[in-house]
Every structure is written in structure tokens, then in C-alpha cells.
Amino acid sequence: GEPDRVDINTQGNIHNNRQTRIQETGTYIGQITRGRQVIRGEDSFEEAPMYVAVLTYMGYGIVILFGYFRDFLRAVGLEKCHQAQEREEQKDFVPLYQDFENFYKRNLYMRVRDNWNRPICSLPGPVFDVMERVSDDYNWTFRLTGKTVENVINMGSYNYLGFAENNVDFLKTVAEETRQYGVGVCSTRQELGNFSIHEKLERLVAEFLGVESAMAFGMGFATNSMNIPALVGKSCLILSDELNHTSLILGARLSGATIRVFKHNNMQSLEKLLKEAICSGQPRTHRAWKKILIMVEGIYSMEGSLVRLPEILALKKKYKAYLFLDEAHSIGAVGPTGRGVTEHFGVDPNEVDVLMGTFTKSFGATGGYIAGKKELVDYLRSHSHSAVYATAMSPPVVEQIIRAIKCIMGVDGTTEGQRRVRQLSENMCYFRSRLKEMGFIVYGNQDSPVVPLLLYLPGKVGAFSRAMLKRKIGVVVVGFPATPITEARARFCVSAAHTREMLDKVLQSLDELGDHIRVKFSRHRPSHRQELYNETDFELDS
């Protein structure tokens, strides 16, 4: 789409204006590329005090010891075992349930299980209603009380631009498409499920991103796991960031390609693997790799950090590799006009070989897309398992995505989309800066709507979530194995739909609770993580 290419080419002025405003805060640094200055926020990974790490390990140690003791009581019949077990007549069979492998879930997760899977009974907008539930057997089972906790502030959903809404005027076109096409397609795109509205969506996505072509899929997770095996296979090499999402990891494993992992956002680690791949080739035979594919994310959902795209592109060009960029959390949420990390860094999206994103977050819908060269997309239409075997997207969902993209682009005749993009940027900068002022350790990038607040100790994870819900604030807490064992956290997702009053209420509650359970660990010390980004021997203007 030529209009979007004009937007991309003229965004140098946007970045220059941003630079003047942002450099005053002292939180941004510049990168020189193509003769102009590109601004990006610093990734922050503050190190916790030593006593916090010691207490965290002690906490897990005590819980594990009690776990072994309770397993002993269950084995001798002094305590009832609530978990699934083999029937007596099947004792001679290979066990279906691995008892020891469930040790963590049985003895640690069950203690705090009430903090997850809470049933929501309303629209998942900036506020929602939660069905109250209690447990009579220490979280093994739950029962609903019939009561509802109303108007809980939603700080956990990926509703970045607030399109998960129930506005009759906004959803009028979605209702019309439902009447025309129905709710279900009941067929694949290659059989009888290729509707005109699907092709309309794909043309709009390509125009929005500024690339030649795009293809939409009904599930975001499958967009990665089912398409990566179509792009690489045996005798190919995948270089994957250590913090990549499970969908990327599963897709890489299913492909049969060799997988090597580089340190998160560490350009020296990535370049070292690229050099070894070029010099040594494949194991045993030492033949050259058929393809080398670098897989990264735009925003990392657990760390809140941004990909170092200009440096990775320079390495890609230098070593003749391919780049797969997952923009699940960044498309719509990052960039002056919401076009993701390519716009944020002032990079031509056509320099990225495979652009992947989802409609499940910024667009308030479901599904995902692959975009790039027309040859790439045409190849996937006939070779991707997700394209050949999966049922086509529901027409009302497709129309919701079209409505959201048109709103962001401004082609609906309003400025509502750009207002939401600006509001999201203001909200996340305000929320993140206030948390740091209060003394919390906060990970991630200043321009990321994902804001991880570190809790560390296992006992504080459950206490934090329960106390926030009592204050009518819904949060997501995350611990091992989704995070390193010493880095349990609460993950906040800021939305354009959050008002300043909502954010202030959350911040006030966090300030009070942070003092009460003592999780204000920040001492503004430098991170122990190696900062090796500038030790590469390549130039950005390659």
C-alpha cells in the first residue's frame, strides 16, 4: 500500500520530534542508522539485593522439604492423596502419571492455585466482574459462592488499545457481517472457507504493515508452531533468543531443524553463533547450512523488553541469514502510528524476511498473520499445515480486526485510533515511572506496555495477588517454571482504555501493599546481566 509507504518514509520527522521531547527525560539513547537518529528506550534489569536472593532460595527450600514430608505421609496413608492415581489393577502397566514429575504442582503450585484461572463473567475491558470462589480442600477443588466481585480494574489483559469493548456504534459493522456470513465457516480456506472478507483482511494487513502480501490464520499460537516447519527443516539452523515464546520453540522443534539459543538481546552471543555456523557448517559433515533463521520477538511478554532490531538486521545482512520477527505484543502497541517495532526503530519492514503478529491483543480479536514478500506468502498458502488443514477464521472476528486496523490507520474517517496509540504511550510511561519512583524493581523497556514488577519470594506471590483482588484490582502473577526460580513477578499490561484515575488507584494500592508485604527492593544498582550489545564488529549502516 503506497499510503503506508509514505508514512514509513516520513516518520523521520516524527522521530526527530519525539527525540526533542524524550531526550529531556534522560531515559532514551540514540542509535545512528541510515544517516538519521533513531530513538529507543533503555531495557532495565535491576539486580535485587543479595538478601532477597538468599531468602528466595530459602523459601523454596523450606517448601520443598515440607513437600517431601507430605509425600511421605501420603505414602504411608496418614494424609489423603487428592491427585489422579493409577487404579490398583493397572499397577503392572507402565505408569500413565509420573508421580515425581508432578512434585512441584502437587506441593508448591497447589498452595497458590487460587491466584489463577479465576472465572470472569463480564466484558474483559478496563474493568471486569469476577465470580467469587472458595476451596474447602486446600485448593484441590473450588466451588462458586454465587457472589460476584464487581468493577475489578483489569491490569492483566493484553487489551493494549482497548478494542475489547462493547460499544454498539463501533460494533455495528461486526453485527452486519454476522448477519451476512454467520458465525462459523466450517471449512478450510483451500476448500469452501475462502470468503471475500478474508481476502479483504489480508490486503488491509499488508497495507497496514507496508509489505507486499499477508496471510491470516485462525489461531495466534498455531501461526508460529505450524508455519515455522514450512519454512525450515533438516539441514537448516535456527538461532533462537533464549526468552522466545513457547509457540516459537514448539515450531522450531517440529521443523526438525538444528536449534541453537543465544542470550537474550545479546548481539555478541548471536554473532558468535553466526560465525560458528558459517565457519563450521553442519555437525559431522561440515556442509553449509541450507538456511540460517534468526527468531526474535518484538516485545518479550515476560520481560517487557524490546528487540534490538537495527543490530539484528545488520547481523542478518552481514552473515546472509533470514529473520523471523514475532510481533504478537508489539504490533498496534509500539510505534508512533502503531505499526510495531519496525516503525519504532525507523526500519523498512521489507528488510524483515518474515513478519508475524497476532490479532489477539491490540486488535481485540483472535488469530494471527504472516506477512512479507508475495513469494513467501504464496508458498505458505500451499505448504503450511495451518493454511491447509485449519478451519478459516470466523467472519465476525475478521470484521472486528478490519474495524480495528481501519481505526488505527484513520481510514474510518476518525482520529480515534491514533488517540488510543498516544494514550497507551502516555499511560505506560506514567505507570512505569511511578512504580520506579516508589522503589519497586521493574523490568523492561520504557516503550513497552508489559510492565513486570519483581516479587521474588514465593510466599509473596500469592499474598500479593490475593491482597490486590481484595482491593478490586486484578493482576497476573508469574513464577517458576515460567520465570527463573528467583525472579517471580507480577506482570501488568497497560491499556489505552485505562483512565488516569484507574492507574492512580492501582498505584496507590501498590504503594500501600509494597510497604505492607515489603517488596520495594529497588536500590538502583546496575544489573548483573552482561551488557555486550556494543561489542560487535559490525556497522549498523550495512
Side-chain angles (χ1 to χ4, degrees), residues 31-34 310-314 317 538-542:
Q31 292 279 342
I32 303 298
T33 175
R34 295 188 176 184
E311 295 96 318
I312 290 179
L313 281 174
K317 295 174 184 177
F538 63 87
E539 296 180 359
L540 290 178
D541 189 13
S542 57

Side-chain angles (χ1 to χ4, degrees), residues 199-299:
E199 297 182 357
K200 178 181 177 182
L201 169 63
E202 291 171 348
R203 289 193 299 269
L204 186 63
V205 170
E207 182 181 353
F208 176 66
L209 297 175
V211 294
E212 293 180 5
S213 185
M215 183 174 183
F217 302 89
M219 182 181 180
F221 190 97
T223 305
N224 277 333
S225 59
M226 293 290 101
N227 282 296
I228 293 174
L231 297 174
V232 291
K234 292 183 179 180
S235 301
C236 296
L237 175 65
I238 293 176
L239 301 180
S240 176
D241 190 290
E242 65 177 341
L243 297 182
N244 275 343
H245 190 261
T246 304
S247 60
L248 289 168
I249 297 171
L250 178 60
R253 290 175 176 173
L254 291 175
S255 71
T258 301
I259 305 170
R260 291 175 185 165
V261 179
F262 63 91
K263 295 182 184 298
H264 175 55
N265 262 349
N266 191 311
M267 296 302 103
Q268 188 187 49
S269 175
L270 174 58
E271 186 171 28
K272 180 181 178 182
L273 291 179
L274 283 167
K275 285 181 178 179
E276 291 177 355
I278 298 297
C279 296
S280 302
Q282 300 180 42
R284 294 189 298 276
T285 64
H286 299 292
R287 293 178 179 175
W289 297 99
K290 290 183 178 180
K291 297 177 189 174
I292 299 177
L293 180 65
I294 303 171
M295 292 199 317
V296 293
E297 294 186 48
I299 291 179

